[in-house]
Every structure is written in structure tokens, then in C-alpha cells.
Amino acid sequence: MARRVTLALAFTCLLAAAHAATLGVVHTEGGFVEGVSKKIGTLSPQYLDIFKGIPFGLPTKVLEKPEKHPGWSGTLKATDYKPRCMQATLPQTDVRGEMDCLYLNVWVPQSRSEVSTKLPVMVWIYGGGFLLGGGQGANFGDNYLYDGEEIALRGKVIVVTFNYRVGPLGFLSTGDANAPGNYGLWDQHLAIAWVKRNIAAFGGDPSNITLFGESAGGASVSLQTLTPYNVGLIKRAISQSGVGLCPWAIQQEPLKWAKQLASRVGCPVDDTAALANCLRGTDPRAITVAYKLELGNLQYPLVYYLAYAPVIDGDFLPDEPRNLFSNAADVDYLAGVNDMDGHLFAGVDLPVINEPLQKISADTVQQLVQGLTLPKGSGGLTIAYDLYTANWGPSPSQELMKKTVVDIETDYIFLVPTQEALAYHSQNAKSARTYSYLFSHPSRMPIYPSWAGADHAEDLQYLFGKPFRNQLAYRPQDRDVAAAMIAYWTNFAATGDPTNGPSKVPTPWLSYTTHYGMYLEINNSISYQSMKQSLRSPYVRFWAQTYRNLPSA
Ligand SMILES: *[C@@H]1O[C@H](CO)[C@@H](O)[C@H](O)[C@H]1NC(C)=O
Ligand SMILES: *[C@@H]1O[C@H](CO)[C@@H](O)[C@H](O)[C@H]1NC(C)=O
């Protein structure tokens, strides 16, 4: 009898050995956490440990910096996503999310034999105009956009996602010490510092942390590398369609917006101390719905209406971002844009561009340029308009004119600031390397005009491996794009060079220097010809030099 028990035990152990390694309960600074061990596939299964909803901060308070979570007793079951931070719903009439929102999620790939150690770590910062978003992203059922599983398994990296505050609760500022602002950036920093201190317990390498993010998340990544508070915490960074130099990344007039919001909720506006104290005592739901992003009949281009964003507070950001690149001298940096990043904005400013049956006039295009060059008056308008219409000829086609609108907005809002950030980064680099890309895989959205390229945020589905997950919804060429992106991104996280690392890539990605301006064009047919030079340099020169040096109107 005893022998049979022993045999049965031995058999159980054998079964367990055939199973994957799993972390089981992990000891973090706050206490024990237990996630789930997941098996994917049947013939040659893969395994990973997933932890969802680990707290890294206390419930947030209006206009206060976040505070570290003090911990818990017993073992925390980390199996479900936590609500996002409080923000307006899409129709902007109500709120969703919670003040208790500082939670993070961790995906750890495992091999069959023993638990992983010293894995590179990738920390995701979501976008959403500093107005909305959550660590898990939008979802269809249980398919979440920012599910880290595919990146973790294919790239053999740990993926971390987390929540940070957005909208007025994340970024309202009186422009002085009474409400300095940047609360959302402090939340991000708290999460990054938590990863640095705790990720070794999950098998991660704390000296190998890569931030990556898109849109406002890309700008956040950039600002996190520029603040003095993260020096030594971050090894590498990836900014997709957003950098700290974007015109919308810094709010230069926070007090104007703070006063507008304060008066809407019945707080005093003439004294910033009274204003801030009153808001601290106001229902955060009321604060959240008191700001509405207008999306129609705008007097100026949409980009001017993004009210709540990071500010130069003299602390987290001691100066204008362009003067802070020495803080990133040892942070490897990879940044790029989508070839039609501005399409989303252009479609709000001039909806006619998406109407095949409606005509756009040269006057309309000129008005848009006027709106974007407002700070420099007629001088800026004339040069910009001439530059962008130089290839129009006497009777430009509707398609050419509409495409020009998208180019103007893409350049001004995303592409030019990204090229400037790459240049500053490479000029200030000590040990750091710099890489640039252009993502041009055309949109698959049937409602888009036939000439549309890659719109804002279209890169996300490939990076997060959706074409592998939803085989039927995507074509083989979409899986090629996803495989290439994940390989380059995770190699970069492992070695600081997107070409070298555990994953095979289609072609070597040469690093960026200001002299050659090398960039990789990412689409479904990447070859040595995809390495190109001097992305839209006449337009970059115009905005970054000619335009900037014009006198203000
Ligand atoms: C980062 O991870 C890679 C791959 O595991 C490893 O070769 C490297 O030594 C690690 N550390 C740093 C600082 O790059
Ligand atoms: C993909 O990139 C290659 C190399 O840059 C380019 O020649 C080709 O036109 C691109 N394809 C699409 C569909 O944009």
C-alpha cells in the first residue's frame, strides 16, 4: 500500500515536471501576490504567469501626488484587471473609472523546465490624449488591446501595463505651487520605480527596463526619460507617434484652463490657493465632467483644444523638454510615426477629406494652415502654404489636395517633433543609441479613403499581436507586420539594438544620426530597401528652423 502511494506520488511529480515552470506566489514589497499560470496551445504548448491588478499606489486624491501603497497581509489574488482611473466616458456626459486606480499588470513568459530569470522588462504607457485610457486598453469581450501575452511569449520579455491619472484629475495645474500639475506623470513614475524595485522577484532584470508607449503614452515615455527623477531607472525607451516636443505634449497656459474649469464647478478663480483648495474639496466626478473636448465647429485646429497635459512645473520637468535631453544621455531611444498620424485630427478639422463626393477648395486648405501657423501670423502662413502646395500645379486633383491636408497635420502634430526629438537625443547621447522608423502599413478600415496610409494608433494592433490572436480577421501580410514589429521591439528591449536579440528580423535596422537621418520603413514588405534617409527633410527644416525663427505675431 505504502509503495503504491509512493508510486502515485512519483507519477504526480513526473506530471508536474512535464508541466511548465511557474512562479507561484511572488513576494513583492507590498506582500505576497498570486497570479495565474496559463498554458497556450496543445502540441507544443507555451506557458506564462499573469498577474493582474497589483496595487502600486494608494487611492488617488484630487490635485495630490500619488503615494506608495503600504502593502497588505496574506496573499493577494492578482487575477483581474482593476478599473481605470476616473475619466469622462466617450460621449463626455458621464464618468467611468475610480480614484482607487493605481494598479499594474505583469506577464512573465516561462519555459518548460525552470522559471525565467533576468528577463528584459517592457513597461507600457497608454495613450488617449492625456484624457482617457487604461492599462488594459479597449476591449471586445475579454480581448483587451494592451494584453501583454503575445509580446511576452514571442519576444521572451516581461510586459508590464499600469494605470495613471488623465484629464483634469491627472493634469490640471494652476501653474504655481498651489496645484503644480503633472499628477499623471508622477503616477507613471511611481509605477516605473515599483517595477525597478520589484521585477526581479518575477524573473525580470531591473537593469534592463524599457518604457514603450503610443501617442500621449509616447510623449509620456519621452518625458519620463527627460525628467531628472528617472535617471538610472530606465535603460531604454520607445515613443510611437508622440514625443515630449509635440505641440500638444506640454500645456503652456494651464491657469487659463484651470480657471475655466473652476468656474464651472463653482470654485473661486481669482486666487490660485483658494481655487486649488476648493477643487480638492469638490467631487472628482464633477471635476471630470466639467471639461469637454469640443469635436465640431471649432474656431481653431483641434490640437489647440487638448487642455489637460503635462506642464513645466520646475520640478518633474525643470525646463522645456528640448533643454532636458542630457538626462537621457544613457537611455537607448527608438521613436517613429505613422505615415498618416494626422488623419484622425484632419478628419475633425476638415471632415470633407473623408467624403469622396465632396470637394475641398484651396481656400479651405489655406484656412487650416492659417490656424496651425497662428502664433507667427501671416509670415508663417505664406511660407507654409507655398511649401505644401508646391507640387499642386495649376489644377490639383481632389485626392492630392486632401492628402496635403493630412500631410500638414501629420507633420505639425507628430512627424516634425519626433524628428526633432531624435536629433536632440542623438546629439546628447553618451552611451545611448538612437533609432527612427516610419510605419506605413495601410489602414484596413473599409470606411477610409483609398489613399489613406497608416492612421494614428493603427500600429497598436500589430505591436500587441492581434493578427496572431484573431487569425480570421487578419491577412497573412498583417501577421508579417506584427512579427516584424514584435521582433524589433523586443530585441531592442533585450540589447538596445533592434537587429540583435532573441528574434529574427527581416533586415538590419541601422541607427539614426543627425547626419544621415536613417529610418526604417515598417510595412508588409521589409527589405534592405526599407532603410531610408532624411524623412521629409524639407518639411522638417521648415517647421523646426524657418518657422521657429520667424517673429511671433
Ligand atoms: C539585458 O538583457 C540581455 C538579454 O537577456 C542581456 O544580454 C544583457 O546583459 C542585459 N543587461 C543589460 C544592461 O543590457
Ligand atoms: C513598403 O516599404 C517599401 C520600402 O520602403 C516601399 O517601397 C513600399 O512602397 C512600401 N509599401 C507600402 C504598401 O507602403
Side-chain angles (χ1 to χ4, degrees):
M1 182 69 199
R3 234 184 108 181
R4 264 162 97 184
V5 172
T6 320
L7 263 178
L9 260 176
F11 189 62
T12 318
C13 293
L14 271 176
L15 268 184
H19 232 220
T22 174
L23 283 165
V25 174
V26 174
H27 190 224
T28 72
E29 65 186 22
F32 293 101
V33 293
E34 184 175 12
V36 293
S37 167
K38 185 171 171 187
K39 174 182 172 186
I40 290 130
T42 42
L43 283 178
S44 53
Q46 293 181 290
Y47 299 89
L48 73 175
D49 286 311
I50 305 173
F51 302 81
K52 290 176 179 168
I54 303 177
F56 65 92
L58 282 172
T60 60
K61 295 186 196 138
V62 178
L63 305 186
E64 302 286 357
K65 278 189 189 177
E67 287 178 75
K68 230 165 105 172
H69 198 282
W72 52 90
S73 53
T75 298
L76 185 90
K77 293 270 184 215
T79 54
D80 291 302
Y81 290 125
K82 292 291 185 173
R84 47 179 71 196
C85 292
M86 188 179 286
Q87 54 194 262
T89 54
L90 279 182
Q92 301 184 86
T93 47
D94 200 357
V95 304
R96 62 183 295 196
E98 304 285 343
M99 296 300 279
D100 182 6
C101 64
L102 299 183
Y103 293 87
L104 52 77
N105 316 302
V106 184
W107 286 261
V108 186
Q110 298 295 1
S111 66
R112 300 188 68 134
S113 46
E114 50 199 274
V115 292
S116 309
T117 54
K118 292 258 173 190
L119 287 171
V121 183
M122 297 186 74
V123 182
W124 174 250
I125 307 185
Y126 53 83
F130 296 112
L131 277 178
L132 51 94
Q136 55 265 46
N139 65 303
F140 290 102
D142 64 1
N143 179 4
Y144 287 84
L145 180 57
Y146 305 141
D147 186 326
E149 195 168 302
E150 292 288 338
I151 298 177
L153 282 177
R154 286 170 192 274
K156 304 193 172 39
V157 296
I158 291 185
V159 176
V160 179
T161 67
F162 65 87
N163 292 336
Y164 65 93
R165 280 173 283 173
V166 290
L169 296 175
F171 292 97
L172 185 137
S173 166
T174 51
D176 61 16
N178 290 311
N182 288 344
Y183 306 102
L185 292 184
W186 288 110
D187 295 347
Q188 295 172 2
H189 167 68
L190 195 67
I192 295 163
W194 185 96
V195 171
K196 179 84 178 174
R197 293 191 306 269
N198 289 281
I199 208 65
F202 294 82
D205 178 356
S207 66
N208 243 337
I209 296 176
T210 300
L211 303 184
F212 66 135
E214 185 265 352
S215 192
S220 297
V221 164
S222 166
L223 296 173
Q224 294 294 342
T225 68
L226 301 180
T227 176
Y229 283 92
N230 285 329
V231 173
L233 251 55
I234 305 166
K235 184 74 188 140
R236 323 184 212 278
I238 302 175
S239 287
Q240 303 173 220
S241 305
V243 296
L245 303 179
C246 287
W248 44 268
I250 299 290
Q251 176 52 259
Q252 302 287 356
E253 296 182 299
L255 184 56
K256 181 184 91 178
W257 294 99
K259 283 182 173 179
Q260 188 196 77
L261 188 140
S263 74
R264 283 186 189 162
V265 296
C267 283
V269 299
D270 292 332
D271 172 71
T272 57
L275 186 160
N277 282 338
C278 176
L279 286 181
R280 287 192 177 100
T282 302
D283 183 349
R285 285 176 198 81
I287 295 176
T288 302
V289 295
Y291 168 72
K292 278 196 177 58
L293 177 65
E294 300 297 335
L295 288 169
N297 297 316
L298 301 175
Q299 193 182 354
Y300 306 111
L302 173 65
V303 65
Y304 290 125
Y305 293 85
L306 296 168
Y308 293 99
V311 293
I312 312 297
D313 60 357
D315 185 11
F316 197 84
L317 296 176
D319 197 349
E320 291 289 337
R322 68 183 66 254
N323 299 323
L324 297 175
F325 278 82
S326 61
N327 288 326
D330 295 308
V331 179
D332 299 315
Y333 191 47
L334 189 157
V337 292
N338 296 354
D339 65 347
M340 291 210 182
D341 255 330
H343 180 263
L344 188 77
F345 288 74
V348 172
D349 290 332
L350 297 176
V352 59
I353 64 162
N354 291 325
E355 303 293 342
L357 301 178
Q358 284 178 30
K359 293 209 151 123
I360 190 168
S361 70
D363 275 356
T364 314
V365 179
Q366 190 167 14
Q367 275 159 26
L368 175 74
V369 177
Q370 185 174 18
L372 290 174
T373 55
L374 213 57
K376 304 287 187 176
S378 58
L381 167 62
T382 310
I383 316 178
Y385 187 73
D386 289 353
L387 176 68
Y388 279 97
T389 58
N391 63 345
W392 275 17
S395 52
S397 68
Q398 279 294 308
E399 181 179 315
L400 179 58
M401 292 168 81
K402 291 178 178 180
K403 226 164 163 283
T404 301
V405 167
V406 178
D407 285 343
I408 294 169
E409 297 235 17
T410 298
D411 287 349
Y412 176 77
I413 303 176
F414 300 103
L415 189 146
V416 173
T418 300
Q419 303 316 301
E420 290 187 271
L422 288 162
Y424 281 120
H425 182 265
S426 115
Q427 283 158 7
N428 283 275
K430 289 196 186 120
S431 69
R433 309 179 217 208
T434 315
Y435 294 91
S436 168
Y437 74 86
L438 176 72
F439 180 85
S440 70
H441 190 48
S443 176
R444 300 167 54 254
M445 303 272 277
I447 52 155
Y448 275 35
S450 58
W451 46 265
D455 202 346
H456 196 54
E458 293 221 34
D459 46 331
L460 295 174
Q461 57 196 312
Y462 304 100
L463 175 63
F464 283 90
K466 302 307 172 193
F468 299 115
R469 237 5 143 56
N470 316 320
Q471 293 273 340
L472 293 177
Y474 289 89
R475 306 158 296 183
Q477 52 166 316
D478 301 321
R479 283 183 274 283
D480 293 344
V481 175
M485 272 190 99
I486 293 175
Y488 282 123
W489 264 231
T490 53
N491 279 353
F492 176 76
T495 68
D497 175 352
T499 309
N500 293 317
S503 298
K504 268 220 176 65
V505 294
T507 199
W509 185 338
L510 308 180
S511 67
Y512 168 99
T513 58
T514 45
H515 187 68
Y516 293 110
M518 301 299 289
Y519 69 93
L520 179 71
E521 178 165 359
I522 299 176
N523 63 24
N524 62 29
S525 55
I526 301 178
S527 70
Y528 70 97
Q529 290 171 317
S530 305
M531 249 354 284
K532 298 178 164 176
Q533 253 179 290
S534 306
L535 180 59
R536 291 182 68 76
S537 50
Y539 305 93
V540 175
R541 255 199 314 279
F542 165 71
W543 289 107
Q545 289 166 27
T546 317
Y547 177 78
R548 174 153 306 124
N549 293 330
L550 288 173
S552 293

